[in-house]
């Protein structure tokens, strides 16, 4: 893909970096600390895009040829946002709450240059089979999923053995909706 911009990925996530690399584009990683709080009045399905836009605002002084990509992923289970687990107990409770149910993973993305901004979000429905307590404990002990919304990675063991089906973009669940991002980059 030949873009007239120098791409900047504003993410420390190794998964997002790997995903963007798979689109065969050159980019640099540049991150800034951003307060990820949001008004409680925002509908939960709009939080990811709100946070992606908020993260992009930290990049005020972009050069004319620079394009920054910011994103945020939320896991919604029965209308409640599941953030990153703080500890083993919280991770266990999160995964147990997803067990035997369908939840939504929403990734918001913002593309920003010095004179233009566009944002979007993608939703993927993920269905877990009923998980055994020992399976959840094994996953948390071995994979330590404390850096992931909802306390799981679809590309890891728990996704391989526990997810019955998904509806939507697989890569969206990993943190970057590649199909949509590719289209948006081409039209930007």
């Amino acid at each position: 893909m030949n873009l007239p911009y120098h791409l900047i990925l504003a993410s420390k996530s190794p998964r997002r970096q790997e995903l963007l690399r798979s689109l065969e584009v050159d980019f640099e990683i540049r991150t800034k600390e951003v307060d990820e709080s949001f008004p409680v009045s925002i509908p939960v399905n709009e939080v990811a895009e709100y946070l992606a836009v908020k993260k992009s605002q930290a990049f005020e002084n972009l050069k004319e040829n620079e394009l920054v990509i910011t994103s945020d992923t939320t896991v919604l289970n029965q209308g409640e946002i599941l953030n990153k687990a703080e500890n083993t107990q919280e991770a266990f409770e999160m995964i147990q709450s997803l067990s035997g149910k369908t939840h939504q993973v929403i990734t918001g993305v913002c593309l920003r240059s010095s004179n233009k901004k566009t944002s979007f979000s993608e939703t993927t429905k993920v269905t877990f089979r009923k998980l055994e307590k020992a399976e959840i404990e094994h996953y948390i002990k071995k994979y330590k999923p404390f850096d992931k919304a909802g306390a799981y990675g679809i590309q890891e063991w728990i996704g391989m053995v526990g997810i019955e089906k998904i509806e939507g973009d697989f890569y969206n669940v990993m943190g970057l909706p590649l199909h949509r991002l590719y289209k948006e980059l081409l039209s930007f």
Side-chain angles (χ1 to χ4, degrees), residues 39-57:
V40 292
S41 59
I42 294 178
V44 290
N45 63 328
E46 295 176 17
V47 169
E49 187 171 344
Y50 172 88
L51 290 174
V53 170
K54 186 176 183 181
K55 289 174 183 180
S56 80
Q57 292 165 347

Side-chain angles (χ1 to χ4, degrees), residues 16-167:
R16 285 196 181 106
Q17 294 167 19
E18 176 188 337
L19 289 172
L20 188 56
R21 213 171 279 115
S22 70
L23 285 183
E24 299 180 7
V25 294
D26 292 325
F27 64 94
E28 75 168 284
I29 297 159
R30 200 184 299 171
T31 61
K32 297 188 181 223
E33 291 301 315
V34 175
D35 168 28
E36 293 189 28
S37 63
F38 54 89
V40 292
S41 59
I42 294 178
V44 290
N45 63 328
E46 295 176 17
V47 169
E49 187 171 344
Y50 172 88
L51 290 174
V53 170
K54 186 176 183 181
K55 289 174 183 180
S56 80
Q57 292 165 347
F59 294 84
E60 298 167 351
N61 301 317
L62 291 169
K63 294 177 186 164
E64 197 171 304
N65 71 329
E66 292 180 324
L67 171 62
V68 68
I69 302 168
T70 54
S71 62
D72 193 83
T73 300
T74 57
V75 172
L76 290 183
N77 186 29
Q78 299 174 321
E80 179 187 346
I81 294 176
L82 301 183
N83 294 311
K84 296 172 184 169
E86 297 286 324
N87 54 50
T88 300
Q89 180 63 33
E90 195 174 2
F92 182 88
E93 290 168 3
M94 280 186 194
I95 296 171
Q96 192 172 48
S97 77
L98 299 172
S99 176
K101 297 186 185 112
T102 299
H103 63 279
Q104 295 177 310
V105 178
I106 303 172
T107 299
V109 178
C110 183
L111 306 177
R112 183 187 201 98
S113 68
S114 61
N115 61 357
K116 186 177 175 185
K117 176 189 80 151
T118 187
S119 65
F120 61 91
S121 65
E122 284 292 315
T123 301
T124 303
K125 291 181 180 179
V126 180
T127 303
F128 269 102
R129 69 168 171 77
K130 190 77 174 143
L131 299 167
E132 299 296 326
K133 180 181 179 194
E135 291 171 322
I136 299 170
E137 289 170 344
H138 165 77
Y139 173 69
I140 294 168
K141 184 177 181 182
K142 184 164 183 178
Y143 292 87
K144 303 186 185 342
F146 306 111
D147 65 334
K148 299 170 180 71
Y152 79 92
I154 192 169
Q155 73 281 10
E156 295 174 336
W157 181 84
I158 198 80
M160 295 171 201
V161 302
I163 293 177
E164 289 183 327
K165 70 175 180 174
I166 70 165
E167 296 172 56

